[in-house]
Structure formats: C-alpha cells, structure tokens
Amino acid sequence: MKIGIAKERRPYEARVAASPDTVKKYVAMGFEVAIETGAGLSAAFTDAALEAAGAKIVKTAKDALGSADVVLKVRKPIGSGAEVANEADEIALMKNGATLISLMEPYKDRALIDALAAKKITTFALEMVPRITRAQSMDVLSSQANLAGYKSVLDACNEFGRAFPMMMTAAGTVPPARVLVMGAGVAGLQAIATAKRLGAVVSATDVRPASKEQVESLGGTFVAVEDEEFKEAETAGGYAKEMSDAYKKKQAELIAETLKKQDVVICTALIPGRPAPVLITEDMVKTMKPGSVIVDLAVEQGGNCPLSEYGKVVRKHGVAIVGHANVPSRIAVDASALYAKNVLNFLTPLYDAEAKSLKINLEDEIVKGSLITQDGKVVHPAVQAVAAGKTAAKPAAKPRAARKPAASKTASKPAAKTAKAPAKPKAATATSAAAPAAGSDKEGDA
C-alpha cells in the first residue's frame, strides 16, 4: 500500500503529517511513502532526511496523492471553487476509494465532506477520536493544544512591556506579572505551568469542578462561582456544559472584578461543537490596566473576546489583544513531530500486515467515533445532522453576531492532557463560560 503526503497549503499552516521517525516506521510496516518535495521544510524536516528514512520524494502534490491508497494530512484537503486562492482542488487529485486521515473540521464545511463521499473516499476526522484510554496516543487535540498553551504565554511576553518574575534590584523592585488563564483544559494547564515557570502570579478559571484541583496542583489560584450548578457543570465525557444565563451573569461579575487586577489574560475556552463563549466583553477590556495583554486562543472559533481579530495583534483601550491564527503551527517542529506520531498510532491498528491492506472494524469505538465518510456516504450521525451544502464561515469575518455556528478542528472535542502536570486534566480543550456564547466554530487547534 502507498501513503501519500502533500505539502500543506492552507494559510498559516507550517506543519506536516509525517516525520522522518514515522516514515521509517511506515516503511518497516510495509508501506511505500511518497512525499511532495518541500512538504516538511517549514517543520525542519528536509527532503534528504525524509528520503533517508525511506520516503520517495516526488515533485508535485498530484504525484504524491494521485496513486496513494492512504492520504495523510494535517488540515482538511482543499476543495473545489477556489476555496484557497491559487491552490488546486486536492480532492480531485486523490484517487477514488482512497483513505484520508486528517483534521477535518467536520461540522464546518458539509459541501467538502460531500465531495469526499462522492469520490468514495474513506475519511477519518482525527479531532473526533473518542477520549478513551486506548486512544490517548492518537489524541491530536491534546498534543497540539499543549503546545498552543505554552506558546500563548510566550506570545503574551512578546507584547507585554514588563518582566514576568519579581526582580529585586538596586534601582528598585520589579513586581511579578499577574496572569489569569481562562479555561483549564490542556492548553490552559500548560499556560499555567509556563507562566509559573516564568515567575508570574497565576490564577485560573473554568466551569468544570475537576479543574480546581488541577489548577491548584500547578500552583495557580482557582477563580470561580462555586455554587450547585458549578458542581454539575461537567459531562460524563469530561467536557464543559453550557451554563445557565444566571450562572454566566454571576461568573461574569466575578471575572470583571478579577480582570482589573491582571496584567495578562490567556483565553482558551471552547465548547465542543459550539461557538467559543464570550468571556471578556469590551466593557471589561476598558477596565483593564493600560499595557495589559489578552491572548485569545479561541479566535478561530469566534473568540473569547469580541475585540480580538483573527491573525492579528490589535490594541484597543490600551490593551494588546493577540489573535494569532493556528498557534500550534507557530511551533511547527514539535507540533509536526507530535502530530505525526499521533497519526502513526491511529493508522497502525487499522493496517493488516498479512493482507497488506487496511481492515476497518466498524464495531471499534475509535473507528466508529472518527469515521465520517465511507462507501460514498456520510456515515457519522453528528456530521449527517449538518445541513447539506453548508460551507464554513471565514474566521476573520465580523461582526460577531452575523456568524453562523460551525465546529472545530478540534470541533468535536477539546484536548485532553498537558505535557507535564501533576494532575491529569480530564477536559480536552480549556472550557469556561462567563457570558453568553457568541462567535463561530473553527477548525482549534487548539
């Protein structure tokens, strides 16, 4: 069987779906691996390194994808209709009946899902892999959100005009920065750990009761309205529930007071399959200290702050608001290495070495949860519920109220583990709700 990997061509994407390490393992399993030239360069994987691992380097995306039985990608393939300016329709390059493994944003662009089904492509959406113990090594949301949480703190440092740690000097004392992390999932917990290592005084908020212990285990102070509703704010799967308007009002009042004292706020709050909740209103931003920084990791799903702008750093009311697109891709070397390993761990159980073919067990929980198209049909119930022909709203579109809910790269679920945390987070991507949700779901990387 042949694996095909083309260069990622979507804006802001620097990752690649295979590394020299995983290529070596695919070849040992019996696969042929064809990789488009330059596909790994932005992640520091040279053609020479990939070729030395056993890959065949080919000239074009067509050469990589045209005869591939299995296509591995980071982002969903580009469809028809000039979806990405000046880029070819990648679905048209794939052969009928191929298998595609990628992040798919399955709720966001039904037309693209239908196009894959029309070519009888078997499609697995990695963001929909269920959060079970057996699937932890396949959890791309966790691996990518962990890096995003780390990078978000560095991005905040870059915009913040002061030092993070307290410094005692002959010229005077520099007080430590005060950092609030909103959402204590994987990205949030890593942000807490990173800010603490840099010497900041850290607090965090989340609607899930289990997150309190996780935050405190990392040295953070937990901020939340801990009433009866709060105790029931987590689903059986470990995700956050949408909170009532009454709870949101109480939480918003608490957060409004807390924000006045903060220097940096990291927003990571997402709700699976829903627009990102608005946690920081414009009125709240007006009360923050001049020179403060907000990093909005949810900007691709509408944002936790209505003033954030996709792919930009803006300054409003004396506050820098960071809305970088695709934050994991900003740390592409590690993000690619981890993603490639997640993909290898997903593909390996599907491959029958004796038959030299894929064996898809539809009774397997991981297959059932992540398979979205097969035999010319959309087969996942949640994706079937998305209106046929629906296409994605552009993440940068404003005003917020005009956007339609779609769903995440991380669309179906948040991420699940931090790289290093004394307590293992149960929730996937950080989630919190302090004000009525607004915005638009993204790919969410995280």
Side-chain angles (χ1 to χ4, degrees):
M1 292 191 79
K2 183 175 178 182
I3 291 174
I5 299 166
K7 183 176 180 179
E8 297 291 328
R9 287 176 162 80
R10 288 187 177 274
Y12 304 107
E13 187 53 74
R15 294 170 291 179
V16 64
S19 65
D21 181 53
T22 62
V23 166
K24 195 177 297 182
K25 289 181 169 65
Y26 289 133
V27 172
M29 289 166 65
F31 285 103
E32 294 177 42
V33 182
I35 302 179
E36 182 184 359
T37 183
L41 286 179
S42 56
F45 302 148
T46 63
D47 287 351
L50 292 166
E51 193 169 32
K56 179 182 179 183
I57 304 301
V58 297
K59 290 184 178 180
T60 66
K62 183 178 180 180
D63 295 334
L65 304 182
S67 59
D69 302 295
V70 180
V71 173
L72 306 182
K73 286 185 59 58
V74 178
R75 303 284 296 282
K76 64 184 180 182
I78 296 169
S80 60
E83 184 193 347
V84 177
N86 303 316
E87 295 295 349
D89 179 349
E90 292 177 318
I91 296 176
L93 299 181
M94 296 164 63
K95 74 176 186 180
N96 286 4
T99 296
L100 169 65
I101 300 173
S102 177
L103 289 165
M104 286 300 302
E105 307 173 39
Y107 304 137
K108 195 172 181 181
D109 192 346
R110 177 58 190 269
L112 186 135
I113 303 296
D114 288 339
L116 289 165
K119 286 202 76 168
K120 296 190 175 179
I121 291 170
T122 299
T123 308
F124 289 97
L126 290 175
E127 60 266 64
M128 299 186 82
V129 169
R131 292 183 55 251
I132 58 176
T133 302
R134 185 163 58 90
Q136 284 183 349
S137 65
M138 311 170 191
D139 190 351
V140 298
L141 297 181
S142 291
S143 69
Q144 304 304 294
N146 186 55
L147 292 171
Y150 163 79
K151 185 65 172 172
S152 69
V153 178
L154 302 189
D155 287 338
C157 288
N158 195 49
E159 301 299 329
F160 190 47
R162 288 179 29 217
F164 263 42
M166 182 172 73
M167 296 182 183
M168 310 281 288
T169 76
T173 299
V174 175
R178 302 187 71 87
V179 176
L180 173 66
V181 178
M182 304 188 77
V186 176
L189 290 174
Q190 185 56 250
I192 293 167
T194 303
K196 285 293 291 183
R197 285 195 293 268
L198 289 173
V201 175
V202 183
S203 55
T205 182
D206 195 291
V207 298
R208 295 168 301 109
S211 62
K212 180 178 181 179
E213 182 183 346
Q214 295 160 5
V215 168
E216 291 173 347
S217 72
L218 291 170
T221 301
F222 192 68
V223 179
V225 176
E226 298 185 44
D227 60 10
E228 289 304 311
E229 183 176 358
F230 174 78
K231 294 173 185 176
E232 305 296 326
E234 189 170 350
T235 68
Y239 302 130
K241 292 180 180 177
E242 179 78 7
M243 306 300 280
S244 70
D245 289 343
Y247 183 90
K248 288 175 184 176
K249 183 179 179 184
K250 288 187 286 184
Q251 180 78 344
E253 289 169 356
L254 176 61
I255 295 303
E257 285 304 309
T258 305
L259 283 173
K260 295 175 184 178
K261 306 167 191 171
Q262 304 305 311
D263 299 302
V264 172
V265 182
I266 310 287
C267 297
T268 72
L270 298 171
I271 298 172
R274 299 287 301 277
V278 174
L279 306 182
I280 303 177
T281 65
E282 183 169 5
D283 286 341
M284 292 178 183
V285 174
K286 290 176 181 177
T287 68
M288 294 178 68
K289 301 177 189 176
S292 299
V293 178
I294 296 171
V295 179
D296 194 345
L297 288 182
V299 67
E300 291 178 66
Q301 287 187 229
N304 295 146
C305 176
L307 300 181
S308 62
E309 295 184 24
Y310 177 74
K312 296 180 181 179
V313 178
V314 296
R315 282 171 172 74
K316 304 285 179 70
H317 309 296
V319 177
I321 304 173
V322 180
H324 290 311
N326 196 354
V327 174
S329 187
R330 290 166 53 77
I331 188 165
V333 177
D334 287 333
S336 296
L338 295 179
Y339 183 89
K341 192 67 180 291
N342 292 145
V343 173
L344 171 68
N345 292 334
F346 181 87
L347 180 56
T348 299
L350 300 179
Y351 183 62
D352 185 326
E354 270 187 39
K356 295 192 181 302
S357 64
L358 298 186
K359 285 200 173 177
I360 298 172
N361 177 10
L362 297 177
E363 299 304 311
D364 182 271
E365 191 176 355
I366 295 171
V367 170
K368 206 185 304 184
S370 58
L371 181 65
I372 60 173
T373 69
Q374 188 182 38
D375 297 331
K377 299 175 183 175
V378 176
V379 296
H380 197 289
V383 182
Q384 287 171 343
V386 178
K390 181 175 180 179
T391 55
K394 287 190 168 99
K398 299 282 179 178
R400 175 177 304 278
R403 296 181 183 167
K404 294 181 181 177
S408 171
K409 130 199 154 204
T410 47
S412 74
K413 65 180 179 88
K417 301 172 289 182
T418 52
K420 182 180 179 183
K424 187 175 180 182
K426 191 175 180 185
T429 308
T431 346
S432 179
S440 148
D441 272 346
K442 85 159 199 158
E443 166 214 23
D445 249 280

